[in-house]
Amino acid sequence: MFLHTHPYEPFFPEGATKLIVGTLPPPRFTTRELNDKDVDFCYGSSNGLLWPVLDRIFGLHLKFETTQEAANQRRDFLTSRGIGVCDIVQSCERDKIDASDLGMQNIKLRDLVGYLKHYPKIDTLIFTGGNSKNGPEYFFRKHLKSYTLQLEVVSDKVPRIHRFTLGQRTIQTVSLTAPSGSANRAIGSMQLYKDLKNENPKFNTIDFRVMQYQEFF
């Protein structure tokens, strides 16, 4: 059994108003066996699409390599935009060493609500995936139950938007289409994507994410 622990502490820049919430980076980030196109920072997997999409939206000219400069570029961007990162899974066990969400067992969650209480300016959670089993929204719903809180629907269209009340605050959540190759099939089945693809045959799944993400970042 492989113990898959999160290699990064939550990242909270001063005055953060938004928080990116995922699950866990691939196991090679835990075992420190990164490839030369991985970035040693949150969502730094060479297979991941979050940073390529943000790079296009903001014109960041990011480096995609295992260097301190590449990691610093991402920290500087998040700090400048008041965006934090706090994945909800602290650790899990796996029979098979892979990045599958469904393969996670004996899962330990981070106290995300506890963090939110310490950072009162955060008003938006950006989930890197939806409510499918072992996705970030799925785990967050379970986590909220331990505080006798629940999500309320704001918009049931993709990307789905919810909100919840924490003390005197109302916090919004948005569940983006996951920035992983495995989500491309789901994108391809969406009527909106099909319509846009018909209008422009060159339109692809990266373009779709850029269109979706830029509204919330």
Side-chain angles (χ1 to χ4, degrees):
M1 187 72 73
F2 173 68
L3 178 61
H4 188 180
T5 58
H6 204 298
Y8 303 117
E9 291 298 315
F11 178 77
F12 288 97
E14 186 175 353
T17 59
K18 298 178 181 179
L19 193 64
I20 302 172
V21 182
T23 53
L24 280 168
R28 67 180 182 276
F29 282 77
T30 296
T31 59
R32 312 307 298 159
E33 298 172 299
L34 280 64
N35 67 49
D36 59 5
K37 293 189 181 301
D38 286 330
V39 178
D40 192 8
F41 188 65
C42 307
Y43 307 102
S45 169
S46 57
N47 308 113
L49 298 172
L50 178 64
W51 285 112
V53 168
L54 294 179
D55 193 37
R56 274 188 51 182
I57 292 172
F58 293 99
L60 301 176
H61 306 292
L62 295 175
K63 293 183 180 296
F64 291 86
E65 59 191 26
T66 312
T67 63
Q68 190 61 52
E69 181 183 1
N72 288 343
Q73 285 180 322
R74 288 151 177 79
R75 287 191 185 90
D76 291 346
F77 165 76
L78 293 172
T79 299
S80 72
R81 304 287 301 187
I83 301 172
V85 180
C86 185
D87 288 342
I88 194 165
V89 178
Q90 179 59 45
S91 68
C92 71
E93 293 180 342
R94 295 182 181 276
D95 287 326
K96 182 180 178 182
I97 302 178
D98 62 19
S100 163
D101 282 345
L102 291 177
M104 293 190 283
Q105 306 173 47
N106 299 323
I107 299 151
K108 293 184 179 179
L109 301 181
R110 286 173 167 168
D111 183 10
L112 200 54
V113 170
Y115 282 116
L116 291 173
K117 289 179 178 179
H118 279 92
Y119 295 92
K121 293 185 178 180
I122 293 173
D123 58 20
T124 304
L125 304 184
I126 301 173
F127 295 131
T128 60
N131 193 33
S132 56
K133 186 175 180 181
N134 289 1
E137 182 193 324
Y138 173 88
F139 283 133
F140 188 68
R141 287 176 178 274
K142 290 184 67 175
H143 178 54
L144 282 182
K145 286 181 180 179
S146 68
Y147 282 91
T148 63
L149 299 172
Q150 62 181 6
L151 295 181
E152 172 190 345
V153 176
V154 175
S155 172
D156 203 30
K157 295 180 180 180
V158 175
R160 293 179 176 84
I161 299 172
H162 297 81
R163 66 188 174 201
F164 66 100
T165 301
L166 184 62
Q168 302 300 312
R169 296 155 65 192
T170 297
I171 300 175
Q172 176 177 282
T173 74
V174 55
S175 299
L176 298 177
T177 300
S180 62
S182 61
N184 287 343
R185 182 177 296 179
I187 293 175
S189 68
M190 293 179 186
Q191 189 59 49
L192 174 59
Y193 178 78
K194 292 177 181 178
D195 293 342
L196 292 168
K197 186 77 170 175
N198 285 334
E199 292 175 11
N200 176 12
K202 294 183 178 179
F203 189 80
N204 60 35
T205 55
I206 298 291
D207 298 326
F208 183 85
R209 289 184 178 89
V210 168
M211 181 187 74
Q212 184 185 99
Y213 288 24
Q214 61 190 358
E215 180 178 350
F216 300 100
F217 281 94

